[in-house]
Amino acid sequence: MRFRAKIVDLACVNHFSRIINTIARLAKTCILRLTVFKLYFILSDKVANGGASMWCELSQGNFFDEFQMEGVAAEHNEIYLELVPENLSRALKTAQNAKAVKIKLTNKHCPCLRVAVELPSLSSSNRIVTHDIPVGVIPRRMWNDFREPSVPDFDVSIYLPALKTMKSVVERMKNLSNFIVIEANLSGEMNLKIETDLVSVTTHFKDLGNPPWASEDGCQSSAQGRDLESMAEACIDIKKLQQLLAGQQVNPTKALCNIVRKRIVHFILLHEEVSLQYFIPAIA
Amino acid sequence: LSRIGDELYLEPTESGLSLRAVNSSRSAFASFLFAPLFFQLYEPGGAGPDTELFRCKVHMKSFLGVFRSLPSLEKSVGKCLILLKPRASRLVLQLHCKYGVTKTHNLAFQECERLQAVFDTQSCASRLCAPARVLAEAVVHFPLTLAEVTLGTGPGGKISLRNYVEDEAEPSKTMVTELWLAEDEFQSVAVAPGSHITFCLKEFRGLLGFAEASNLPLTIHFDEPGRPVVFTLDDTVLEVHLVLATLSDLNSNSQSPSTNGVSHLPVPSDDFADDLESYMAAMETSEGGSGGPPSPTF
C-alpha cells in the first residue's frame, strides 16, 4: 500500500487547500478514500456526527502533477484512511507561497500522511516544512460502511439562492434559534423559517428554478402529478446548515437541495473540479 | 514584558534604566536595558556613591494603561517624564502633549528585591544569530496554541524547529510539524552537533514581535537540555535578554530521536525517486545530554 503525490502549481495548491478548509468545517474526522483517478472525503451518518453525512469527490488530475497510488491489493486498488481534516487544513495553510507540496503515506511509528512543503527562501537551499498527520488505515472489511449514498426519493428539488445571501440570513437566524425549517416547492419558491416563543422569522425566496432530474424508471416523474405549489419542509439543526454555507469559499457552479419532507435535506454543490454532497437529517 | 509577567520591575542603574519581568513559575525572565543615551535626560538618582539606587515594581496593567493607544500617542505626545518619588510612594508618568496639555499618572509601587536571572551566555555551548524576520517566518507555521517547541541541529548545519509533543499525549493522534532552516539563513551558527532544546513558544513569540518591529537580529544562546536558553537583542542604546527554562532530558538513554513521532532514521528506499526521501534518509541525530542537568535558577 503506497501513496505519493505532488503539486507544483500554486493555484492548484490553494484550490486544494480551500476544498480541505471546507471539509474541515463540516467534519471533525472523516474518511479519505484514494483511488487511481479520484479522491473522496466521506463522512458517514453515524450518531456521533449528529446524523449528518458528506460525500465529496474530486479528480486527482485537476490538482496533482504527480499521483501514484497502490491500493491494499490488486483487485482492490484503493486506500481508505481516517483522518482529522483540520490537521490537513493547517498543514496546507503553510503552503500559501509554496514552490511544491508533496504528500506521502508513511508508516514510521504509526501511519501518517506526511505533507512536505517546499518554501522559497533567500538562502541557497529551500526551506522545507513537514507535517506528519496521523491517519488510521481502514481495513477492507469496513469499506462497505463508506459507499456513496444514493439520491433520496425526494419530494422537491430546487436550486439554492445565492449562497452569500443564504449564509447571511442563516447566520442571523442562528442567533435566535437552534433549528431552522427549510421548505420549498416545485414552483421555484423557498422559505427559511425559524420560530421561538418570542419571535418567528421567515425569509422568502422566489424564482429559484427547479432542476430537471431525468426520470430513470419513472419514479421521479411522479412530480408531474404533484401540486406545484405545495411545500415540502424539513426542520434541521441550524448549525449544520450554517457550517455548510460558511465553508463555501468559492461560489459553486450549481447549488441545489433535495428535500424529503420531514426526513432529510440533501445538498449538492458542484464546482468545476469538485462535487460536494451533504445530508442533514430532519429533527423529529 | 507583559507577555511574561504581571509586574514590571524598574531598576535604574548607572548604565541605564532596566525594565524587567518574570513569570509566576519562575521559568521565564526578560530584561530591557535602556542606555542613558536613549533618553533626553537620565538621572538615576542616589545621593552618593554608597547609596543604593531605588528599585520598585508596579502592576504591568497600570503601566501599560498609560501608553494605551500608540498611534494616538505618537500624534499627540511630545515628551514623557518618568519620575520615581520614593518618599511619596509613587511612580510618576507624565505625558506632555500638544496644546499645553499635561497628563500626569501616579502609579503606586512596591519596593522589591533585585530581580536577576542566573545565566551566562559565555558558557553556552551553542549560539545562533539570525534576522528576526527569518525566525518569525519559521514560527508562523506553528499554531498559536502550541505551548512548546524544540530547536535542534541536524547534519549539514541545518537547524530545525519542531512542535513538542508531551509524553502523555498519544503519539498516534498528534500532528507533528517540523521546519528546517539552512545554515546560510543565519548570520552566524556555532552549535554543538546533535544538540536540541525545548522551550515555551509564547514568550519567544513576544520577543520576536519586538525584534521584528525594531529590525534587530536575534541571538540564541543555548546549552544542554535543562539549562536555560537565552535570547538577546543588541542595539547601541538597548540591550535585551530573554531567559527561558528548557525541558531537561529525563531519560536521555532511552529517549530516541523519534520520541516526537518523527523519526530521522534512514527509510528503506522504494522504487520512487524522491528528493525528500533521500534528504530525510541522510539525516541522523545523535543522543544528547546525560543525567539530569540542574534546572535554571532565578
Side-chain angles (χ1 to χ4, degrees):
Chain A
M1 189 173 55
R2 270 191 203 134
F3 171 59
R4 186 187 302 235
K6 182 168 162 183
I7 311 179
V8 291
D9 183 273
L10 192 58
C12 291
V13 171
N14 288 329
H15 193 175
F16 189 65
S17 186
R18 279 197 295 271
I19 295 170
I20 304 299
N21 292 342
T22 305
I23 303 290
R25 292 188 102 118
L26 294 175
K28 205 157 154 258
T29 311
C30 74
I31 304 294
L32 167 61
R33 174 184 167 199
L34 301 165
T35 69
V36 174
F37 295 112
K38 289 193 175 188
L39 280 92
Y40 303 83
F41 290 94
I42 307 167
L43 180 68
S44 65
D45 58 352
K46 304 225 168 54
V47 174
N49 305 325
S53 56
M54 166 189 76
W55 181 271
C56 177
E57 194 176 305
L58 42 109
S59 296
Q60 58 90 347
N62 287 328
F63 300 90
F64 295 92
D65 295 278
E66 281 171 31
F67 192 91
Q68 291 150 345
M69 200 262 333
E70 266 175 42
V72 297
E75 324 80 71
H76 304 282
N77 197 19
E78 303 187 2
I79 302 177
Y80 283 65
L81 300 172
E82 182 176 36
L83 54 71
V84 173
E86 173 65 32
N87 284 341
L88 190 52
S89 184
R90 267 206 272 130
L92 290 170
K93 211 163 113 183
T94 69
Q96 279 168 355
N97 299 320
K99 290 173 70 173
V101 175
K102 292 184 190 173
I103 306 180
K104 196 165 96 116
L105 184 60
T106 67
N107 186 8
K108 305 235 168 88
H109 297 277
C110 55
C112 275
L113 265 187
R114 165 162 289 192
V115 178
V117 181
E118 228 175 275
L119 293 165
S121 77
L122 293 174
S123 85
S124 52
S125 52
N126 290 320
R127 264 183 225 158
I128 300 191
V129 186
T130 59
H131 303 270
D132 282 341
I133 301 168
V135 296
V137 179
I138 306 289
R140 200 163 50 77
R141 63 173 189 277
M142 291 175 64
W143 288 8
N144 275 331
D145 289 351
F146 308 109
R147 277 173 302 180
E148 179 169 6
S150 45
V151 177
D153 188 12
F154 52 80
D155 297 303
V156 166
S157 177
I158 188 167
Y159 287 113
L160 295 177
L163 288 193
K164 205 164 129 194
T165 311
M166 202 174 164
K167 181 174 99 144
S168 69
V169 167
V170 171
E171 267 174 8
R172 275 153 188 71
M173 288 181 165
K174 188 164 92 88
N175 294 331
L176 299 169
S177 166
N178 290 330
F179 306 108
I180 186 171
V181 171
I182 298 189
E183 63 175 20
N185 64 19
L186 291 165
S187 303
E189 292 172 338
M190 174 191 279
N191 299 329
L192 297 176
K193 300 195 296 198
I194 53 156
E195 193 166 322
T196 69
D197 291 337
L198 293 175
V199 66
S200 66
V201 183
T202 308
T203 303
H204 305 267
F205 297 94
K206 54 185 189 167
D207 297 329
L208 293 173
N210 301 90
W213 285 85
S215 50
E216 293 154 353
D217 47 340
C219 58
Q220 306 292 22
S221 64
S222 60
Q224 288 162 4
R226 228 172 265 163
D227 175 12
L228 293 182
E229 306 279 329
S230 94
M231 291 278 180
E233 67 165 58
C235 179
I236 59 174
D237 181 344
I238 201 172
K239 231 165 107 212
K240 295 231 163 358
L241 178 58
Q242 189 262 336
Q243 277 164 354
L244 175 68
L245 296 169
Q248 296 306 303
Q249 295 174 323
V250 181
N251 272 330
T253 325
K254 273 205 170 75
L256 57 110
C257 78
N258 300 325
I259 305 176
V260 180
R261 60 170 49 95
K262 294 194 167 57
R263 294 279 299 283
I264 197 161
V265 183
H266 172 210
F267 293 90
I268 305 180
L269 300 168
L270 296 173
H271 296 81
E272 265 170 37
E273 288 105 10
V274 58
S275 74
L276 174 66
Q277 296 180 58
Y278 195 57
F279 297 78
I280 308 181
I283 312 284
Chain B
L1 285 169
S2 69
R3 302 265 190 113
I4 294 170
D6 293 327
E7 289 176 323
L8 179 67
Y9 289 72
L10 290 110
E11 186 169 336
T13 70
E14 291 302 332
S15 40
L17 175 64
S18 179
L19 299 178
R20 299 169 185 206
V22 69
N23 70 351
S24 51
S25 54
R26 305 311 236 205
S27 58
F29 163 89
S31 82
F32 283 70
L33 177 65
F34 293 92
L37 275 177
F38 179 84
F39 304 96
Q40 207 176 31
L41 167 77
Y42 180 69
E43 278 166 18
D50 293 333
T51 317
E52 230 191 43
L53 293 173
F54 198 79
R55 288 187 297 270
C56 71
K57 60 179 181 178
V58 296
H59 281 304
M60 190 71 75
K61 284 212 173 78
S62 315
F63 196 93
L64 280 178
V66 175
F67 303 97
R68 205 185 313 266
S69 164
L70 275 181
S72 65
L73 279 180
E74 277 171 15
K75 281 191 216 139
S76 56
V77 177
K79 278 198 295 204
C80 171
L81 173 67
I82 304 177
L83 191 59
L84 196 49
K85 286 184 170 173
R87 262 159 285 160
S89 299
R90 287 288 179 268
L91 175 72
V92 180
L93 293 170
Q94 201 173 61
L95 302 175
H96 295 248
C97 313
K98 283 201 299 204
Y99 313 120
V101 174
T102 307
K103 296 185 195 172
T104 308
H105 300 261
N106 293 292
L107 272 60
F109 65 70
Q110 271 183 293
E111 284 183 52
C112 59
E113 288 301 312
R114 181 146 197 265
L115 181 72
Q116 178 61 58
V118 175
F119 62 92
D120 178 15
T121 55
Q122 299 300 320
S123 69
C124 286
S126 305
R127 198 188 67 236
L128 293 166
C129 182
R133 178 194 50 85
V134 168
L135 295 169
E137 280 170 4
V139 154
V140 84
H141 297 288
F142 298 94
L144 288 169
T145 50
L146 178 64
E148 278 140 349
V149 76
T150 302
L151 173 75
T153 59
K158 294 221 178 219
I159 307 295
S160 81
L161 270 179
R162 183 168 75 227
N163 63 317
Y164 176 74
V165 179
E166 278 163 50
D167 292 328
E168 297 87 57
E170 274 190 61
S172 59
K173 291 237 169 88
T174 321
M175 178 164 128
V176 175
T177 300
E178 186 158 25
L179 165 81
W180 290 91
L181 294 167
E183 198 172 340
D184 59 4
E185 300 226 52
F186 293 84
Q187 285 170 349
S188 79
V189 176
V191 294
S195 54
H196 64 275
I197 43 156
T198 300
F199 56 86
C200 219
L201 198 48
K202 176 177 150 220
E203 289 95 2
F204 178 55
R205 275 194 214 262
L207 183 69
L208 257 189
F210 181 86
E212 257 200 308
S214 344
N215 214 7
L216 292 169
L218 189 73
T219 307
I220 310 177
H221 308 261
F222 61 100
D223 206 84
E224 290 170 354
R227 300 199 58 83
V229 55
V230 185
F231 303 90
T232 60
L233 293 172
D234 275 298
D235 184 279
T236 44
V237 289
L238 177 62
E239 233 177 77
V240 186
H241 288 95
L242 170 67
V243 186
L244 296 179
T246 64
L247 279 185
S248 47
D249 273 346
L250 292 174
N251 310 300
S252 55
N253 288 332
S254 56
Q255 185 182 65
S256 60
S258 46
T259 306
N260 288 4
V262 178
S263 169
H264 296 292
L265 298 172
V267 195
S269 59
D270 50 35
D271 297 326
F272 307 111
D274 184 21
D275 288 341
L276 186 64
E277 193 74 48
S278 50
Y279 173 68
M280 288 297 188
M283 283 201 294
E284 289 165 67
T285 55
S286 53
E287 305 278 347
S290 61
S295 41
T297 53
F298 288 122

